[in-house]
């Protein structure tokens, strides 16, 4: 499902959002519901709609959209005389409009195309698979000048085999959304994932068939680089792999009834390598030292780094599960704490930023001398700007008005005076201090007010006394809708709960 939605975003010019979608979607507490999809779109500030549409209004739908087709989230594209449907792990199919309508329950999810998107610069070096392919190609170009024609062909087969072997490992770790997924879903009878991850592919608890190609082709490449004369012996070893090839074909055809395109590619390469032994008769040079050296280098290295890759993937999944748990509003709500004198809190004079009608109020109790307050303010104002209709920001200070030696007290005084006299300048003034990190002298020179009213001092005292009543002897204190934000959460994580904070628990589709 994830790859289908990312493709839909990409097709509508949400290139950056497509890259950010994965973690937000997979860690959503309601994954993989439609609510998880639309809520993730909201988090990415993508205008969207999920609705049940009468089938007679199908022609009024946009050219491309997501739909529930045969109980699966499907990417749908209306074409001139047919409907193109694409589902995760399956090849794109073209069907008639009547066939689509008969298997569609009327639910659609659509987004507004991004008409202001800046064309994304394609950087092939950001794609690890492409980078690997380029590296192997360069290695072949360099080495072919030093090898005979026979050895060059052999090296080419080994490099291609190594590349395919990496794709197999990548498919085993996690279903690839790029090159491998397109290769592996050529038809309804192809599924690399089903074959590679099947129990029948395991040889022992620590070795399975996905290990063999990368071991063999790594072994062969190292031999080619050390002593090309030993390639004849390697071709002979390829002949010995024929029984494994036959078993692989039987496994795919008879038992699993699914073809693994990557596995078939490995089989073809091994057969081609075996053919080199039959076509080029020569004395077999079993250079035991070269073979032993290559074996001793390749096998330990692979079984040393293999657990790292698999543990890394396991940790990613565990992190997603923990994030999913953390994003549950019931957990967040249970960890929130009430404040003392909440009625008084509502009457305390504060600096307010954002739309006054916004339903979610983030309140920060700051100190101008606090470094952590800079981070809290930055996160809060970013959250507000990303959700202008939903979030507003309230700020006051925890400063002892009787401490006349505090050089930063003047910052709070001037900010409240600016809020009274120049409300359109208050966001710039407070941002200069907490985001731009201006020095005390520079900030004072720019923003110092000629006259500080007595009401400002009274406000700062009432703020300080309210903080004392709540034992707030630290800053920043972070509140949302007059409740303390749990220490386990950062302000930027409030974006996960905006719908809940606005309306309570959402109704899931």
């Amino acid at each position: 499902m994830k790859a289908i939605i990312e493709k839909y975003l990409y097709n509508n010019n949400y290139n950056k959002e497509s890259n950010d979608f994965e973690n937000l979607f997979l860690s959503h507490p309601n994954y993989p519901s439609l609510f998880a999809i639309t809520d993730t779109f909201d988090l990415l500030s993508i205008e969207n709609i999920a609705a049940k549409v009468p089938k007679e209004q199908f022609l009024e739908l946009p050219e491309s959209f997501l739909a529930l087709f045969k109980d699966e989230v499907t990417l749908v594209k209306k074409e001139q005389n047919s409907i193109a449907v694409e589902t995760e792990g399956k090849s794109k199919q073209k069907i008639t409009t009547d066939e689509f309508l008969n298997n569609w329950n009327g639910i659609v999810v659509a987004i507004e195309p991004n008409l202001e998107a800046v064309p994304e610069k394609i950087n092939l070096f950001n794609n690890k698979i492409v980078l690997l392919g380029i590296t192997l190609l360069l290695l072949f170009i360099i080495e072919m000048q030093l090898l005979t024609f026979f050895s060059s062909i052999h090296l080419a087969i080994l490099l291609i085999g190594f590349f395919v072997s990496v794709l197999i490992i990548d498919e085993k770790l996690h279903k690839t959304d790029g090159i491998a997924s397109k290769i592996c879903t050529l038809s309804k009878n192809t599924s690399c994932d089903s074959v590679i991850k099947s129990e029948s592919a395991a040889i022992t608890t620590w070795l399975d068939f996905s290990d063999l190609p990368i071991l063999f082709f790594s072994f062969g490449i190292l031999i080619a680089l050390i002593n090309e004369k030993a390639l004849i012996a390697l071709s002979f070893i390829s002949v010995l792999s024929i029984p494994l090839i036959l078993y692989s074909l039987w496994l795919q055809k008879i038992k699993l009834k699914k073809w693994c395109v990557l596995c078939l590619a490995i089989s073809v390469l091994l057969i081609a390598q075996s053919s080199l032994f039959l076509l080029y008769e020569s004395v077999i040079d079993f250079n035991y030292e070269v073979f032993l050296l290559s074996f001793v280098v390749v096998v330990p290295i692979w079984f040393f780094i293999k657990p790292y890759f698999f543990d890394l993937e396991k940790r990613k999944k565990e992190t997603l599960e923990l994030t999913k748990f953390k994003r549950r509003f019931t957990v967040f709500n249970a960890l929130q704490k009430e404040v003392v004198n909440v009625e008084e809190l509502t009457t305390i004079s504060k600096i307010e930023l954002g739309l006054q009608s916004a339903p979610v109020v983030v309140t920060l109790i700051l100190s101008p001398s606090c470094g952590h307050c800079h981070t809290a303010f930055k996160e809060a104002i970013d959250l507000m700007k990303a959700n202008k209709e939903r979030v507003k920001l309230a700020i006051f200070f925890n400063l002892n008005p009787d401490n006349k030696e505090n050089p930063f007290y003047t910052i709070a005084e001037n900010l409240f005076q600016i809020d009274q006299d120049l409300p359109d300048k208050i966001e710039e003034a407070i941002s200069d201090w907490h985001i731009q990190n201006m020095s005390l002298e520079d900030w004072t020179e720019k923003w110092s007010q000629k006259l500080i009213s007595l009401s400002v001092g009274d406000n700062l005292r009432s703020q300080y006394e309210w903080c004392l009543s709540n034992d707030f002897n630290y800053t920043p204190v972070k509140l949302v809708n007059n409740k303390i934000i749990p220490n386990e959460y950062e302000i930027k994580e409030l974006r996960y709960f905006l719908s809940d904070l606005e309306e309570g628990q959402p109704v899931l589709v």
Side-chain angles (χ1 to χ4, degrees):
M1 183 191 299
K2 174 181 67 69
I4 289 295
I5 302 169
E6 288 176 341
K7 182 174 181 179
Y8 180 51
L9 290 171
Y10 189 83
N11 290 346
N12 283 275
N13 298 321
Y14 290 102
N15 302 337
K16 180 181 181 299
E17 290 80 358
S18 176
N19 296 330
D20 296 337
F21 178 82
E22 179 175 357
N23 281 337
L24 289 174
F25 179 54
L26 294 181
S27 66
H28 197 283
N30 301 111
Y31 168 85
S33 68
L34 286 185
F35 174 70
I37 297 173
T38 57
D39 196 44
T40 304
F41 286 163
D42 289 338
L43 289 174
L44 294 170
S45 301
I46 298 172
E47 287 191 40
N48 66 90
I49 185 171
K52 189 162 187 176
V53 179
K55 293 185 178 181
E56 53 269 22
Q57 295 182 9
F58 173 72
L59 295 177
E60 300 175 20
L61 292 173
E63 179 184 342
S64 179
F65 55 89
L66 298 172
L68 276 185
F69 177 71
K70 294 182 178 180
D71 296 324
E72 290 187 83
V73 173
T74 305
L75 179 57
V76 180
K77 186 175 182 181
K78 296 193 292 186
E79 299 183 348
Q80 190 170 3
N81 298 312
S82 63
I83 305 294
V85 294
E86 188 174 353
T87 308
E88 186 98 351
K90 298 179 182 177
S91 58
K92 186 187 294 185
Q93 302 177 45
K94 289 190 178 182
I95 59 176
T96 64
T97 302
D98 288 340
E99 185 181 351
F100 175 79
L101 294 177
N102 289 335
N103 292 279
W104 172 51
N105 66 358
I107 292 178
V108 300
V109 176
I111 61 176
E112 285 288 333
N114 186 8
L115 302 178
E116 299 179 359
V118 178
E120 189 177 37
K121 293 182 179 179
I122 299 175
N123 188 352
L124 294 176
F125 293 98
N126 285 339
N127 188 310
K128 294 178 181 178
I129 298 296
V130 175
L131 184 59
L132 173 64
I134 293 173
T135 303
L136 295 176
L137 179 61
L138 290 174
L139 177 61
F140 175 71
I141 292 172
I142 293 170
E143 287 296 320
M144 70 178 294
Q145 301 176 40
L146 307 174
L147 302 174
T148 64
F149 177 74
F150 168 80
S151 298
S152 296
I153 294 175
H154 209 133
L155 180 62
I157 293 173
L158 292 170
L159 292 173
I160 295 171
F162 180 80
F163 182 78
V164 177
S165 301
V166 171
L167 293 182
I168 289 175
I169 296 297
D170 192 53
E171 186 75 3
K172 186 174 179 65
L173 284 170
H174 44 77
K175 204 164 187 178
T176 312
D177 298 330
I179 299 171
S181 65
K182 291 180 174 61
I183 296 172
C184 291
T185 55
L186 290 173
S187 74
K188 61 181 181 181
N189 295 320
T190 58
S191 174
C192 299
D193 187 63
S194 300
V195 177
I196 293 169
K197 295 183 181 178
S198 71
E199 293 182 1
S200 302
I203 300 172
T204 68
T205 55
W206 53 272
L207 179 71
D208 59 43
F209 278 101
S210 63
D211 293 312
L212 298 181
I214 198 163
L215 285 171
F216 178 79
F217 289 107
S218 301
F219 178 72
I221 291 170
L222 189 56
I223 286 175
L225 297 178
I226 296 174
N227 184 357
E228 66 173 296
K229 293 181 180 179
L231 289 174
I232 292 290
L234 191 66
S235 294
F236 176 72
I237 294 174
S238 300
V239 175
L240 301 179
S241 70
I242 299 298
L244 287 176
I245 295 173
L246 294 175
Y247 173 76
S248 174
L249 295 175
W250 172 84
L251 181 66
Q252 296 171 66
K253 174 66 176 177
I254 306 300
K255 188 170 183 178
L256 300 177
K257 296 180 172 31
K258 289 286 185 181
W259 291 106
C260 169
V261 180
L262 297 176
C263 305
L264 293 175
I266 292 292
S267 299
V268 170
L269 290 168
L270 288 172
I271 292 171
Q273 200 168 43
S274 302
S275 301
L276 292 178
F277 172 74
L278 300 175
L279 291 173
Y280 292 86
E281 294 183 4
S282 180
V283 177
I284 300 177
D285 179 17
F286 272 108
N287 190 321
Y288 295 105
E289 291 182 358
V290 173
F291 274 74
L292 182 61
L293 175 62
S294 300
F295 182 85
V296 169
V297 170
V298 169
V299 174
I301 287 178
W302 170 242
F303 285 106
F304 176 77
I305 64 174
K306 178 185 173 181
Y308 168 78
F309 291 121
F310 282 83
D311 289 346
L312 181 63
E313 190 62 24
K314 182 181 177 181
R315 286 196 294 271
K316 284 182 181 178
K317 291 177 181 177
E318 290 174 348
T319 301
L320 278 176
E321 289 301 316
L322 290 173
T323 304
K324 187 183 294 186
F325 175 78
K326 188 178 180 182
R327 284 182 59 179
R328 293 187 183 278
F329 183 67
T330 51
V331 176
F332 174 81
N333 196 41
L335 292 173
Q336 282 191 289
K337 296 179 182 178
E338 303 284 346
V339 295
V340 177
N341 299 329
V342 67
E343 296 82 5
E344 184 180 347
L345 173 62
T346 60
T347 62
I348 288 177
S349 179
K350 310 175 190 70
I351 296 171
E352 296 186 343
L353 304 175
L355 191 66
Q356 289 301 304
S357 59
V360 179
V361 184
V362 177
T363 303
L364 296 181
I365 305 173
L366 306 176
S367 170
S369 60
C370 163
H372 294 295
C373 294
H374 299 334
T375 303
F377 176 78
K378 176 72 166 58
E379 288 186 4
I381 202 163
D382 286 346
L383 179 72
M384 182 196 76
K385 289 180 177 179
N387 303 274
K388 294 179 181 178
E389 304 288 327
R390 311 169 79 183
V391 179
K392 64 180 177 182
L393 183 58
I395 300 166
F396 64 96
F397 296 93
N398 185 3
L399 291 168
N400 185 352
D402 297 323
N403 182 8
K404 304 301 181 183
E405 296 181 2
N406 185 353
F408 298 100
Y409 186 79
T410 183
I411 299 288
E413 283 185 317
N414 280 284
L415 283 173
F416 269 92
Q417 193 63 50
I418 292 168
D419 190 43
Q420 288 183 14
D421 299 342
L422 304 165
D424 58 325
K425 294 289 187 180
I426 184 60
E427 183 177 331
E428 181 186 354
I430 197 168
S431 295
D432 275 352
W433 181 256
H434 283 295
I435 297 178
Q436 301 303 324
N437 294 321
M438 293 179 68
S439 67
L440 179 61
E441 293 76 14
D442 292 342
W443 191 93
T444 303
E445 182 180 349
K446 181 177 179 179
W447 293 109
S448 180
Q449 303 300 296
K450 293 181 179 179
L451 180 65
I452 305 295
S453 65
L454 294 176
S455 63
V456 168
D458 294 338
N459 289 338
L460 290 172
R461 182 172 292 279
S462 65
Q463 294 165 18
Y464 176 68
E465 290 175 352
W466 185 85
C467 289
L468 285 178
S469 69
N470 279 274
D471 293 325
F472 290 152
N473 53 5
Y474 61 91
T475 54
V477 177
K478 299 169 283 188
L479 313 173
V480 59
N481 289 353
N482 298 332
K483 288 185 178 181
I484 301 172
I485 298 172
N487 291 330
E488 294 81 4
Y489 291 83
E490 299 178 22
I491 290 176
K492 60 186 177 183
E493 293 178 300
L494 291 179
R495 61 180 181 155
Y496 301 140
F497 310 113
L498 293 182
S499 297
D500 303 274
L501 291 167
E502 285 178 292
E503 305 168 4
Q505 290 288 0
V507 178
L508 303 184
V509 178

